[in-house]
Amino acid sequence: MKLSNFFIIFLLFSFCISCSKEEPVKKSILKEKNLELQVLKTYNEAMVSLESGDVLYAAKKFNEAEILFPQSQSAPKSALMAAYAYYSQDYFGDAISELQRFVKIYANYKDIDYAYYLLAICFYEQIVDETKDLQSIIKAKENFIIVANRFPDTEYALDSEFKIDLINDVLASKEMYVGRYYFDKQKWIPAINRFRTVTDDYQTTVYTEEALHRLVEIYYILGLTDEAKKYANLLGYNYQSSEWYEQTYKVFNKKYEKKKKEKNKKKNKITKTILDKIKSLAN
């Protein structure tokens, strides 16, 4: 009898333990589902605000959705949308802060390529011109390079490569702007350094021809004829039909301009003679 009572007590005890274990699990599941519903509600509220143009409130609600359930799959999406909300109305500083935080916390997120691309765009759209602060230009280029190198098969890579070329044009323009200033002031060494930067680092830009010509001019002025000829040969080999090659040719052939004028004068004289003959025939 005692053994039987002991067995019953044991079963009851086991049942109580089982119930006590199931209860926290049920509460956890319910809590998680409740959080998901709150996140969804907050996210949808943010989307409505974004679409209505209230981007600051939208960003706030997206951040709130992320914080409500940081372990959920929707957390990184909410964080990314907060950054986009700021970007959509040109709050570039806030968007950049959000995106820099995003790429650190959610480095393995499936849309990390878009995050880097949007970060690059935020810097890119702040570029004013080549005479201004270069910080935005450099940061934009750095992030476009990340996109092009790390995600080469994405739609963002192609546009990133295109914008890198545009940025290189801006950077080369900056070097030429400063180089011309030094050239006019006859500060030959700093001028050489600027023009060399263009020929060495920005070879595919439209400024390479002029930079080569300027180097020819400077080295010729300094009496370094061999060095001048080296750059003249480079210019001739790559851009023989350009106006800058013609300018370079004048540096080495001082009679060139005189011959050119005489040639044009002779050509105009022949043309006038032919026209006079045609006119006489018409009469």
Side-chain angles (χ1 to χ4, degrees), residues 34-157:
N34 186 43
L35 276 173
E36 287 176 355
L37 288 173
Q38 289 183 55
V39 169
L40 182 61
K41 181 183 177 182
T42 306
Y43 184 90
N44 290 337
E45 188 178 345
M47 285 299 297
V48 170
S49 299
L50 179 61
E51 289 168 4
S52 67
D54 190 355
V55 297
L56 295 178
Y57 185 74
K60 177 184 175 183
K61 297 306 288 185
F62 281 128
N63 284 142
E64 187 179 320
E66 178 193 6
I67 294 168
L68 275 171
F69 199 176
Q71 292 82 23
S72 69
Q73 294 181 352
S74 62
K77 183 180 178 181
S78 298
L80 197 53
M81 285 304 297
Y84 176 78
Y86 284 126
Y87 162 76
S88 67
Q89 290 295 326
D90 298 344
Y91 290 97
F92 295 122
D94 295 299
I96 288 168
S97 296
E98 288 288 340
L99 289 164
Q100 288 175 334
R101 181 180 70 86
F102 182 92
V103 297
K104 288 179 181 178
I105 297 174
Y106 304 109
N108 298 318
Y109 184 59
K110 62 183 181 65
D111 291 325
I112 190 68
D113 53 345
Y114 175 71
Y116 276 111
Y117 176 75
L118 186 58
L119 182 57
I121 288 292
C122 286
F123 285 114
Y124 182 79
E125 293 192 4
Q126 294 183 82
I127 296 173
V128 180
D129 62 58
E130 69 274 12
T131 64
K132 304 297 182 182
D133 185 10
L134 292 177
Q135 187 67 17
S136 294
I137 303 175
I138 293 169
K139 288 293 184 182
K141 184 177 179 180
E142 286 176 357
N143 285 284
F144 280 131
I145 288 173
I146 290 173
V147 176
N149 291 342
R150 286 182 55 183
F151 316 104
D153 299 324
T154 64
E155 60 183 310
Y156 309 117

Side-chain angles (χ1 to χ4, degrees), residues 112-244:
I112 190 68
D113 53 345
Y114 175 71
Y116 276 111
Y117 176 75
L118 186 58
L119 182 57
I121 288 292
C122 286
F123 285 114
Y124 182 79
E125 293 192 4
Q126 294 183 82
I127 296 173
V128 180
D129 62 58
E130 69 274 12
T131 64
K132 304 297 182 182
D133 185 10
L134 292 177
Q135 187 67 17
S136 294
I137 303 175
I138 293 169
K139 288 293 184 182
K141 184 177 179 180
E142 286 176 357
N143 285 284
F144 280 131
I145 288 173
I146 290 173
V147 176
N149 291 342
R150 286 182 55 183
F151 316 104
D153 299 324
T154 64
E155 60 183 310
Y156 309 117
L158 185 62
D159 189 57
S160 293
E161 289 172 357
F162 173 70
K163 284 187 168 60
I164 288 169
D165 288 338
L166 294 179
I167 289 171
N168 283 340
D169 277 342
V170 173
L171 292 172
S173 176
K174 169 71 174 178
E175 295 297 329
M176 291 301 298
Y177 177 84
V178 179
R180 292 188 200 105
Y181 170 81
Y182 286 133
F183 184 90
D184 292 340
K185 297 294 182 181
Q186 297 185 0
K187 295 183 178 181
W188 306 125
I189 300 304
I192 287 172
N193 291 336
R194 295 292 181 167
F195 296 134
R196 280 286 304 273
T197 298
V198 175
T199 60
D200 293 345
D201 298 339
Y202 308 114
Q203 297 176 5
T204 59
T205 68
V206 296
Y207 298 98
T208 306
E209 299 169 46
E210 183 185 351
L212 286 169
H213 169 69
R214 299 296 181 188
L215 288 169
V216 171
E217 284 187 310
I218 293 172
Y219 282 121
Y220 191 86
I221 290 169
L222 294 174
L224 302 171
T225 309
D226 289 341
E227 199 69 16
K229 285 181 178 178
K230 182 182 80 173
Y231 285 103
N233 289 334
L234 279 173
L235 183 57
Y237 182 79
N238 293 287
Y239 311 100
Q240 192 165 357
S241 60
S242 75
E243 61 173 299
W244 292 111

